């Protein structure tokens, strides 16, 4: 048949194009026959620091070249660089579109460029393979991509790859904040900081897919998938989505928050790592239950898995400012009883910082950004918070998005105590600028980063505060401004189960004697500032001579506080002096964080890959009563096959030792961490850990 425009002949998978003109055929081009494509996973994973995800698929970081190898059929013509009609197509999302940058086509160049999708190629000396270097755009959306080769309309699928964020951070930051799979979360209060081990496990099998599923299940994805996928080029957007999706308040997010009734789920203190939580969510939806440190640790896992450098941060004395006036107001009646109010100060609160640029704010606001997945207040109608630039928080730039005023108050709000008189008026009797934002802590070896949120000691701003304090102190010493001073002194050894005494010390710096009523009471308290049952009370009318001090003791006995405290093992002791004649009120408060008994961990023999090893576990019951339903659990990345191994102990008598031996079989050589949890009816979720080096 005589062709009218052109005819295409197909032979042995080679396309030969002829143009018919003036009764002659002219050869235009021949398409290379690609037998197979090698995604070069091992080499690419090494250069992109993704080898810990495994070698089952190609995972690369954006803006950085990766290479693939095309294996040619022996019948191919010789490959000539610069003469082949190679075009590559990358696509992501359910509806890839060029307008959304979710579908991009690019041709071969002499070399790749680091500003956009690009490719270059070179042939092997044998001529049987072609090595193609592909560089992704540093602004490409993250996610799973397909890669296709287009030769003059003939398309060959080369495979799939997953593209992650690639923050420009120093190697040490990458090791700590992207690659580290286990770390510590800090709890307690600023004078009794306690570390809790946590398995982030971002490289465990299946976790990356679950993290991508979290983005796909977001309410932002469902109504406009194209817009959502396109916006995943921005870590600010992704971090804000994660802040909303780690909690389940507005969606089917990962964790259900609970601070009172834990029936129907796990107490937040029971979790040892993020992997079990994320797998449960992927299988059956929102997981019960989480509190701030669990929300933050899971958010850290997901962020690191997606390539966003992330650290878990604990703020001691964390303000929850509900009326956005940057002041925490605590209200009392004339008897010293707390009047319910919305503002509060948590003994500690945990969130995450993520490292990223802020083109929406300006380069001066690049770096660490705070976001908080714990549902406290809504932001733009959704329970999420951040990311807010730490620089904006430190400088008080509260007009900057997102949620900077709320985070500024968490670390830097002033605190006022007000008493309501019988006539309804409120009188301020205590004020503090130092109660909020103390010993802000992060890293596997505790690092104080308070100076990143607030100006450090010795700076010009801090000197101004110090000079003002010096002037006040001189007035006090000269007697020009006398007053009553109230302090609380704690015992040295306060292990759970023991009885001990605390003291309220009242000093009179007035020129005459003062008579007042001193109230001294103790109540259980949770880490978020919620008060529980009373566990001690003492009061006395005191006449304090001028220049002297008196003290009132309060005995805290286990038979009273043992039934009142929750697993955080905290007791708030408060002392209030009331002089109704002069309407003079003073208050002191401290948080007792009871010590837990230590968990003893000993490995019987060396840990070797694929060989069983025994962990010998012990814990001394510090209580004056038996422990029921005692058990130990261990978990470790590469040690316990991705799930806890448990051993029931049963009943352990008062002051007796709980013992268990648990066997596990390491599957990966190298350094890891073995986490141990002890649980019972009265001593709950006591954790410890040891480093484990697994040998061949």
């Amino acid at each position: 048949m005589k062709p009218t425009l052109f005819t295409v002949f197909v032979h042995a998978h080679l396309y030969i194009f002829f143009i018919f003109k003036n009764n002659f055929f002219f050869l235009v081009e021949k398409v290379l026959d690609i037998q197979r494509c090698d995604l070069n996973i091992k080499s690419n994973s090494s250069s992109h620091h993704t080898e810990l995800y495994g070698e089952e698929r190609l995972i690369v970081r954006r803006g950085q070249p990766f290479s693939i190898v095309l294996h040619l059929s022996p019948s191919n013509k010789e490959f000539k660089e610069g003469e082949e009609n190679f075009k590559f197509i990358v696509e992501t999302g359910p509806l890839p579109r060029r307008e959304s940058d979710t579908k991009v086509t690019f041709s071969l160049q002499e070399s790749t460029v680091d500003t956009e999708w690009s490719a270059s190629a070179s042939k092997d000396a044998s001529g049987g393979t072609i090595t193609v270097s592909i560089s992704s755009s540093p602004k490409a959306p993250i996610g799973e991509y397909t890669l296709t080769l287009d030769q003059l309309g003939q398309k060959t699928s080369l495979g799939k790859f997953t593209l992650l964020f690639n923050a420009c951070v120093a190697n040490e930051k990458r090791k700590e904040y992207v690659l580290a799979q286990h770390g510590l979360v800090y709890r307690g209060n600023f004078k009794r900081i306690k570390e809790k081990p946590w398995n982030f496990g971002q490289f465990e099998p299946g976790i990356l897919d679950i993290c991508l599923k979290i983005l796909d299940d977001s309410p932002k994805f469902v109504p406009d998938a194209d817009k959502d996928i396109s916006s995943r080029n921005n870590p600010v957007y992704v971090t804000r989505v994660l802040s909303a999706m780690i909690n389940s308040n507005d969606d089917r997010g990962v964790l259900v928050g609970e601070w009172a009734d834990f029936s129907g789920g796990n107490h937040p203190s029971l979790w040892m790592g993020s992997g079990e939580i994320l797998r449960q969510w992927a299988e059956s939806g929102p997981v019960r239950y989480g509190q701030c440190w669990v929300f933050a640790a899971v958010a850290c896992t997901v962020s690191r898995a997606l390539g966003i450098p992330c650290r878990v941060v604990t703020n001691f004395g964390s303000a929850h400012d509900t009326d956005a006036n940057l002041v925490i107001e605590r209200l009392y009646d004339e008897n010293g009883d707390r009047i319910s109010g919305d503002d509060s100060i948590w003994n500690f609160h945990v969130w995450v910082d993520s490292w990223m640029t802020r083109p929406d704010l300006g380069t001066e606001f690049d770096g660490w950004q705070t976001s908080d997945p714990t549902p406290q207040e809504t932001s733009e109608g959704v329970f999420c918070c951040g990311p807010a630039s730490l620089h904006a928080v430190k400088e008080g730039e509260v007009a900057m998005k997102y949620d900077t005023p709320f985070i500024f108050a968490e670390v830097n709000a002033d605190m006022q105590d007000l008493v309501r008189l019988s006539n309804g008026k409120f009188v301020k009797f205590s004020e503090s600028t130092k109660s909020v934002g103390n010993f802000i802590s992060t890293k596997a070896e505790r690092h104080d980063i308070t100076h990143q949120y607030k100006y450090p000691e010795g700076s010009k701003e801090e000197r101004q505060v110090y000079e003002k304090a010096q002037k006040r102190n001189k007035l006090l010493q000269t007697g020009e401004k006398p007053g009553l001073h109230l302090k609380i002194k704690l015992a040295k050894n306060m292990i759970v189960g023991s009885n001990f005494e605390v003291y309220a010390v009242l000093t009179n710096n007035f020129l005459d004697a003062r008579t007042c009523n001193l109230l001294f009471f103790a109540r259980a308290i949770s880490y978020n500032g919620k008060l529980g049952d009373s566990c001690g009370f003492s009061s006395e009318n005191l006449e304090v001579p001028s220049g002297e001090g008196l003290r009132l003791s309060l005995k805290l006995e286990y038979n009273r506080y043992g039934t009142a405290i929750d697993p955080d093992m905290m007791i708030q002791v408060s002392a209030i002096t009331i002089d109704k004649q002069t309407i003079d009120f003073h208050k002191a408060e401290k948080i007792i964080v009871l010590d837990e008994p230590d968990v003893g961990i000993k490995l019987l023999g060396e840990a070797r890959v694929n060989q069983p090893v025994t962990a010998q576990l012990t814990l001394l019951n510090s209580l004056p009563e038996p422990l029921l339903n005692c058990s130990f659990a261990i978990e470790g990345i590469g040690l316990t096959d991705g799930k806890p191994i448990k051993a029931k102990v049963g009943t352990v008598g008062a002051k007796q030792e709980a013992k268990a031996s648990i066997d596990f079989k390491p599957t990966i050589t190298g350094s890891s961490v073995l986490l141990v949890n002890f649980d019972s009816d009265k001593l709950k979720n006591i954790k410890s850990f040891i480093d484990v080096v697994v040998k061949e």
Side-chain angles (χ1 to χ4, degrees), residues 201-212 274-275 278-279 301 305:
Q202 66 269 30
F203 300 115
E204 290 186 10
I207 294 300
L208 177 57
D209 289 327
I210 296 173
C211 296
L212 293 171
S274 302
L278 290 169
R279 281 187 283 268
T301 294

Side-chain angles (χ1 to χ4, degrees), residues 283-400:
E283 292 172 2
S284 54
V287 178
R288 291 172 168 79
Y289 293 102
Q291 291 179 9
C292 68
W293 69 91
V294 186
F295 288 114
V298 173
C300 182
T301 294
V302 179
S303 298
R304 290 183 181 181
L306 298 178
I308 301 174
C310 191
R311 64 188 184 186
V312 176
V313 174
T314 302
N315 178 36
F316 293 97
S318 189
H320 184 170
D321 179 23
T322 58
D323 55 8
N325 66 353
L326 306 186
V327 177
I328 303 302
E329 294 144 326
R330 302 193 297 185
L331 312 178
Y332 299 84
D333 63 21
E334 289 185 284
N335 293 319
D337 292 330
R338 184 82 173 266
I339 302 172
S340 61
D342 293 329
D343 285 356
S344 62
I345 297 179
W346 297 22
N347 290 300
F348 69 88
H349 183 46
V350 188
W351 56 66
V352 292
D353 286 346
S354 303
W355 185 274
M356 65 190 74
T357 60
R358 290 304 298 263
D360 55 331
L361 303 180
T363 56
E364 64 182 302
F365 298 101
D366 291 348
W368 288 116
Q369 317 286 320
T370 294
S371 63
D372 188 352
T374 299
Q376 296 184 82
E377 302 291 331
T378 59
S379 173
E380 298 178 339
V382 177
F383 277 99
C384 66
C385 182
S389 162
L390 257 66
H391 182 68
V393 173
K394 183 175 180 178
E395 297 295 337
E397 298 284 356
V398 294
M400 295 291 183

Side-chain angles (χ1 to χ4, degrees), residues 393-442:
V393 173
K394 183 175 180 178
E395 297 295 337
E397 298 284 356
V398 294
M400 295 291 183
K401 58 183 182 183
Y402 293 93
D403 307 304
T404 304
F406 185 80
I407 296 168
F408 177 87
E410 284 186 303
V411 301
N412 216 14
D414 287 351
M415 186 192 73
Q416 295 179 356
D417 287 329
L418 307 172
V419 62
R420 185 174 64 187
L421 305 179
S422 56
N423 60 9
K425 292 183 179 180
F426 283 93
V427 175
K428 181 172 66 176
F429 69 92
S430 177
E431 184 176 22
S432 174
T433 61
K434 299 180 180 179
S435 298
V436 170
N438 295 294
F439 293 89
I440 303 174
S441 302
T442 190

